[in-house]
Amino acid sequence: MFTPVKVLTVAGSDCSGGAGIQADLKTFQERDVYGMSVVTVLVAMRPEDWHHQVTPIDPEIIKQQFRTILPGIGAAAAKTGMLPNVEIIRTVGELFAEARMPHLVIDPVMVCKGTSEPLFPENTQAMLKYLLPIAEVVTPNSFEAAQLAGMDEIKSKNDAEEAAKRIYQSGCKNVVIKMARVLSDKTADLLFDGKDCHWLDDERIDTKWTHGAGCSFSACIAAELGKGASVKEAWKCAHDFVRAALKGSFPLNKHVGPLYHKAMAKNV
Ligand code: PXL
């Protein structure tokens, strides 16, 4: 009998299918782990302008879903995505602390592409308090990293290293900062493991269809950690997986376009 590695995402539903739990479950499938989900928020988009309408789920219902999986089933690793308010961040943090989750990846989602204003600034403090201390890896983009580090902006690799060191003080074991939009025609990913800064440098992939890249990246790290990879191996795998999927990304309509999650497997 085949028993797959089981991995959990605690995240929002993006009904367009490109980000959130939908992206996470597609990533889990591609990385050959069994995916499970706890839905924290429902996101719908207005067809005219793609304005995001965000409906948080009652924390009691989040608890019911969570307990179905932990302790009800068990999971080798987990990730979090969009957690829309302080109460939900605290609830999820307490549930994971109680469950003693061995491999927890925190994707500190603060904005959706296409919406410029931060979702809820007070959430940053709650993430620092309830989630980062129990995280094995935290995966902010440059905007989220600046918020978590209390810096104005991240404009260079030096800024990113400074932010990573500050974020590390919150108790997480590893900080990954995605620099996709910062370095003119280049892109780079930083991993700070508490001792050393490691960089993966690349040419930027020229596409505007990047919806769900961050979600898929953190989901891939969680899947690989669940299968027993080291943090460095999981980070490199996620970097390659998302780059391949970005090369195959496509538009859904004039507003949004997701990654092609099968790109790596099909070698397109
Ligand atoms: O890409 C950030 C993100 C995460 N989670 C959900 C989303 C979005 C952006 O639309 O809808 C549920």
Side-chain angles (χ1 to χ4, degrees), residues 12-14 19-20 43 52 82 109 112 211 215:
S13 164
D14 167 12
V43 181
H52 287 48
M82 188 188 285
V109 176
C112 286
H211 185 55
C215 305

Side-chain angles (χ1 to χ4, degrees), residues 140 142 156-157 160 176-183 185-191 198-204 217 235 239 243:
S142 53
S156 64
K157 286 180 152 188
V176 168
I177 301 184
K178 301 163 287 179
M179 300 279 279
R181 271 149 217 277
V182 186
L183 311 165
D185 60 333
K186 302 270 180 216
T187 138
D189 266 353
L190 168 65
L191 166 64
H198 309 273
W199 283 97
L200 289 172
D201 297 286
D202 280 292
E203 296 304 312
R204 166 133 34 155
F217 181 77
W235 165 63
H239 179 89
R243 281 185 70 78

Side-chain angles (χ1 to χ4, degrees), residues 124-230:
T124 306
Q125 294 314 314
M127 287 194 253
L128 286 164
K129 181 165 174 193
Y130 297 112
L131 291 175
L132 269 59
I134 53 170
E136 183 168 19
V137 187
V138 57
T139 62
N141 59 29
S142 53
F143 172 82
E144 292 155 349
Q147 302 297 304
L148 289 167
M151 291 165 64
D152 284 344
E153 226 181 323
I154 292 177
K155 290 209 220 111
S156 64
K157 286 180 152 188
N158 274 346
D159 292 349
E161 293 192 2
E162 169 65 23
K165 286 169 189 165
R166 290 194 195 188
I167 295 168
Y168 182 79
Q169 299 304 317
S170 64
C172 55
K173 296 196 182 68
N174 298 273
V175 183
V176 168
I177 301 184
K178 301 163 287 179
M179 300 279 279
R181 271 149 217 277
V182 186
L183 311 165
S184 55
D185 60 333
K186 302 270 180 216
T187 138
D189 266 353
L190 168 65
L191 166 64
F192 177 62
D193 58 14
K195 251 174 68 194
D196 299 311
C197 287
H198 309 273
W199 283 97
L200 289 172
D201 297 286
D202 280 292
E203 296 304 312
R204 166 133 34 155
I205 296 167
D206 190 20
T207 174
K208 67 183 229 198
W209 310 124
T210 61
H211 185 55
C215 305
S216 305
F217 181 77
S218 55
C220 187
I221 295 179
E224 297 309 305
L225 292 175
K227 288 189 280 186
S230 69

Side-chain angles (χ1 to χ4, degrees):
M1 190 179 36
F2 177 61
T3 46
V5 169
K6 300 184 285 286
V7 180
L8 166 65
T9 174
V10 178
S13 164
D14 167 12
C15 59
S16 80
I21 50 170
Q22 287 83 355
D24 295 342
L25 292 173
K26 287 171 194 179
T27 303
F28 291 162
Q29 185 76 7
E30 287 306 308
R31 300 312 306 162
D32 204 16
V33 298
Y34 179 81
M36 302 175 288
S37 60
V38 168
V39 183
T40 56
V41 55
L42 302 177
V43 181
M45 295 81 177
R46 208 160 51 196
E48 304 78 49
D49 56 2
W50 223 242
H51 173 81
H52 287 48
Q53 294 145 317
V54 175
T55 310
I57 302 294
D58 181 334
E60 278 312 310
I61 297 177
I62 293 176
K63 280 187 199 165
Q64 284 173 14
Q65 298 176 75
F66 195 95
R67 293 202 167 116
T68 306
I69 295 151
L70 296 169
I73 296 171
K79 67 153 277 187
T80 64
M82 188 188 285
L83 304 172
N85 59 42
V86 171
E87 195 187 352
I88 290 177
I89 293 169
R90 182 172 54 77
T91 301
V92 170
E94 287 173 357
L95 287 165
F96 272 123
E98 199 182 302
R100 299 184 180 280
M101 192 67 224
H103 299 296
L104 179 59
V105 180
I106 303 292
D107 185 9
V109 176
M110 293 181 192
V111 278
C112 286
K113 294 189 184 77
T115 54
S116 52
E117 70 274 29
L119 279 175
F120 303 98
E122 67 275 19
N123 290 3
T124 306
Q125 294 314 314
M127 287 194 253
L128 286 164
K129 181 165 174 193
Y130 297 112
L131 291 175
L132 269 59
I134 53 170
E136 183 168 19
V137 187
V138 57
T139 62
N141 59 29
S142 53
F143 172 82
E144 292 155 349
Q147 302 297 304
L148 289 167
M151 291 165 64
D152 284 344
E153 226 181 323
I154 292 177
K155 290 209 220 111
S156 64
K157 286 180 152 188
N158 274 346
D159 292 349
E161 293 192 2
E162 169 65 23
K165 286 169 189 165
R166 290 194 195 188
I167 295 168
Y168 182 79
Q169 299 304 317
S170 64
C172 55
K173 296 196 182 68
N174 298 273
V175 183
V176 168
I177 301 184
K178 301 163 287 179
M179 300 279 279
R181 271 149 217 277
V182 186
L183 311 165
S184 55
D185 60 333
K186 302 270 180 216
T187 138
D189 266 353
L190 168 65
L191 166 64
F192 177 62
D193 58 14
K195 251 174 68 194
D196 299 311
C197 287
H198 309 273
W199 283 97
L200 289 172
D201 297 286
D202 280 292
E203 296 304 312
R204 166 133 34 155
I205 296 167
D206 190 20
T207 174
K208 67 183 229 198
W209 310 124
T210 61
H211 185 55
C215 305
S216 305
F217 181 77
S218 55
C220 187
I221 295 179
E224 297 309 305
L225 292 175
K227 288 189 280 186
S230 69
V231 169
K232 203 166 172 194
E233 288 164 349
W235 165 63
K236 283 191 176 156
C237 176
H239 179 89
D240 292 344
F241 178 79
V242 169
R243 281 185 70 78
L246 273 171
K247 285 183 185 154
S249 70
F250 58 98
L252 291 177
N253 59 21
K254 67 178 185 193
H255 302 291
V256 70
L259 313 197
Y260 180 48
H261 288 92
K262 289 215 85 67
M264 189 179 239
K266 285 194 162 182
N267 207 9
V268 292

